Amino acid sequence: MKNIVLTFHNVTDPIWFEKTLHVLGRWFVFGTLDQLYQRLIHGRGSLPRRMCFITFDDGERSVYEVVYPIIKRLNIPIAMFVSPLNICEGGAFWFQRMRRLAPNAIESMKIFSLEEIFTHINQLDPTGASNTNMNINRDMFDELYASGLVTFGAHTQHHPILANETDEVTTLEIRESVGQLADMLAQPVRYFAYPNGSAKDFSQREIAALKQSGVLMALSTIHGYASADDLYRVKRIGVTRGN
């Protein structure tokens, strides 16, 4: 039984996205994170044999503007991993600002801490002009959640590469994002996605902090099928336009 979890980020082409869903829908039943967790823990049970799970990282505004009208019309569930702080306060993540300032430098900056990254960004953009909101706001969040089609999970507060941060920063980023999102949802948050999410971006330190925060399952960007081998390193398959 293969559990296929797909990762999307910023979707700007509605025609491409809807065609992608139609192709997937020929072969798979679309499922929720609760169903994925059930399959990993207890096996398929009464769930369909072929299932696919659609996830979005970061909470970009395009999910509300482009993706949501399509999944609402087709009645397809998705999951979104978001920063509750960003939803409430607005602004852009560091990599979104770098898209505007120096897009070719984004990958090279992933070896630095948030403090070092923001020092560099402030040198490039001392007026903060690049710090404009690119993600969903609270009203959009509430509408998406009320639809019953979107499961929300935490994605830290500031989108750091957690492996580059101190124990204190890592613990705060996880604990506060899970706690604030739980307050916004009025229910516990059980799912989390690591920022960037490669095998070198997190370790047992992050997993311990997630368990302490009540998280039951954490998703990576490590390529492959999701399995019960490690619920805190769940593999996904990234999808972008053209691949």
Side-chain angles (χ1 to χ4, degrees):
M1 181 180 65
K2 294 179 177 178
N3 297 296
I4 297 176
V5 187
L6 302 182
T7 314
F8 296 82
H9 287 83
N10 187 28
V11 174
T12 58
D13 186 340
I15 296 174
W16 168 80
F17 182 70
E18 184 163 350
K19 284 183 177 179
T20 300
L21 293 181
H22 281 302
V23 171
L24 292 167
R26 295 175 192 166
W27 299 96
F28 303 103
V29 174
F30 296 101
T32 66
L33 287 185
D34 287 339
Q35 290 173 324
L36 172 62
Y37 181 74
Q38 178 181 332
R39 285 168 72 94
L40 296 182
I41 292 293
H42 302 296
R44 173 188 163 194
S46 61
L47 293 171
R49 184 169 68 90
R50 291 179 173 174
M51 295 192 74
C52 178
F53 305 89
I54 306 293
T55 68
F56 287 83
D57 287 4
D58 304 334
E60 301 238 17
R61 185 164 295 210
S62 64
V63 180
Y64 177 82
E65 296 173 342
V66 177
V67 171
Y68 179 49
I70 296 171
I71 64 166
K72 185 164 59 171
R73 176 161 42 83
L74 300 179
N75 196 37
I76 292 175
I78 66 170
M80 289 183 70
F81 294 98
V82 298
S83 157
L85 181 67
N86 179 266
I87 289 171
C88 294
E89 296 188 1
F93 294 121
W94 68 265
F95 61 90
Q96 294 171 329
R97 296 182 67 180
M98 287 299 295
R99 278 187 207 156
R100 295 181 172 182
L101 299 171
N104 293 333
I106 292 176
E107 286 301 316
S108 65
M109 295 185 70
K110 291 181 179 180
I111 63 171
F112 299 112
S113 68
L114 273 177
E115 183 178 359
E116 292 169 318
I117 289 171
F118 283 124
T119 296
H120 181 66
I121 288 176
N122 290 337
Q123 291 172 348
L124 295 175
D125 181 23
T127 65
S130 64
N131 192 27
T132 57
N133 192 27
M134 303 181 189
N135 306 303
I136 61 170
N137 59 31
R138 183 59 191 266
D139 289 340
M140 296 172 184
F141 171 88
D142 289 341
E143 183 178 347
L144 290 168
Y145 181 55
S147 74
L149 291 172
V150 183
T151 300
F152 284 98
H155 198 45
T156 72
Q157 297 285 53
H158 301 93
H159 205 284
I161 307 298
L162 291 170
N164 300 338
E165 303 296 336
T166 64
D167 294 349
E168 180 181 10
V169 170
T170 293
T171 300
L172 284 173
E173 285 284 338
I174 291 173
R175 185 178 65 203
E176 291 185 357
S177 66
V178 171
Q180 185 176 356
L181 184 59
D183 289 342
M184 291 165 65
L185 296 170
Q187 65 178 24
V189 171
R190 300 306 188 197
Y191 309 119
F192 181 91
Y194 302 102
N196 208 51
S198 74
K200 64 182 180 181
D201 295 327
F202 61 94
S203 65
Q204 286 298 325
R205 179 186 67 170
E206 285 72 29
I207 292 171
L210 290 169
K211 290 179 178 179
Q212 290 171 1
S213 295
V215 171
L216 301 178
M217 182 171 68
L219 285 70
S220 72
T221 59
I222 302 170
H223 184 83
Y225 299 114
S227 71
D229 294 341
D230 196 333
L231 291 174
Y232 293 90
R233 290 185 177 87
V234 174
K235 296 177 181 177
R236 294 186 286 177
I237 299 171
V239 183
T240 57
R241 190 182 188 282
N243 73 5

